[in-house]
Amino acid sequence: MDPFIAGTTTDLMDAFMQPAFESLAAGFPQLIFYLLMVAGMYVFAILAYVKLTTHKELELIQDGNVAASIHFSSLVISMALPVAACLINKFGLWDVGLWTAFALLLQLFLFRMTDYIIFRGMPERIERDEIGPTVVLASFKLAGSLILAFAIAG
């Protein structure tokens, strides 16, 4: 019997909710695959950056260094933006993986360019807990990642 003809609230709710539940059931496994793949790549890129820095940023943060905390926070956000952009126009798991890897490598390269060309001596300044220059560096990294994210998203 057609739920619209029957007119009961339960029948109407079933008629409207069934497609939503079917969509969720069909899309949930893909969501988990995308999330696991992208999250793994994201964490790997952050760990790579931490290993590439000349100063021990995580140790500085544990010791209460505010400048290191600001810098690392900008890193965490800046790395997430291009990754999120890769998920906007996705065609498949391999497509997202390839674009995410490319975006993270490009982001790491841009970070290095910013660190060594524009802001020379920043590792020492972060170690000395100089907040002003660190905020400016963090702003440049966030701005660059926003530009990269929008370029990826089209």
Side-chain angles (χ1 to χ4, degrees):
M1 174 182 278
D2 187 8
F4 294 107
I5 296 172
T8 66
T9 306
T10 306
D11 292 337
L12 286 173
M13 188 178 298
D14 287 345
F16 288 114
M17 294 302 293
Q18 188 64 30
F21 287 128
E22 289 172 2
S23 172
L24 178 64
F28 188 72
Q30 278 188 327
L31 169 69
I32 297 301
F33 285 130
Y34 283 114
L35 183 61
L36 289 174
M37 180 185 66
V38 170
M41 294 172 80
Y42 170 76
V43 169
F44 179 77
I46 289 176
L47 292 175
Y49 184 84
V50 167
K51 291 290 184 188
L52 293 173
T53 55
T54 58
H55 56 283
K56 304 293 182 205
E57 201 156 36
L58 296 178
E59 290 177 19
L60 292 171
I61 292 168
Q62 289 176 347
D63 292 338
N65 186 308
V66 176
S69 299
I70 292 168
H71 184 255
F72 191 74
S73 297
S74 72
L75 166 76
V76 169
I77 295 168
S78 295
M79 294 298 273
L81 292 170
V83 170
C86 291
L87 293 168
I88 292 174
N89 297 322
K90 63 182 183 267
F91 294 109
L93 197 61
W94 290 107
D95 177 58
V96 171
L98 181 65
W99 275 100
T100 300
F102 174 72
L104 290 172
L105 287 172
L106 185 56
Q107 186 72 343
L108 288 171
F109 173 75
L110 293 174
F111 281 175
R112 283 290 161 218
M113 296 292 288
T114 303
D115 288 346
Y116 291 113
I117 293 176
I118 300 173
F119 290 97
R120 290 189 190 134
M122 277 308 294
E124 295 82 18
R125 296 179 92 174
I126 290 172
E127 287 175 357
R128 290 191 305 260
D129 204 10
E130 293 184 26
I131 295 172
T134 305
V135 169
V136 174
L137 175 63
S139 298
F140 269 93
K141 288 186 176 185
L142 287 167
S145 68
L146 278 170
I147 292 168
L148 178 59
F150 279 100
I152 290 169

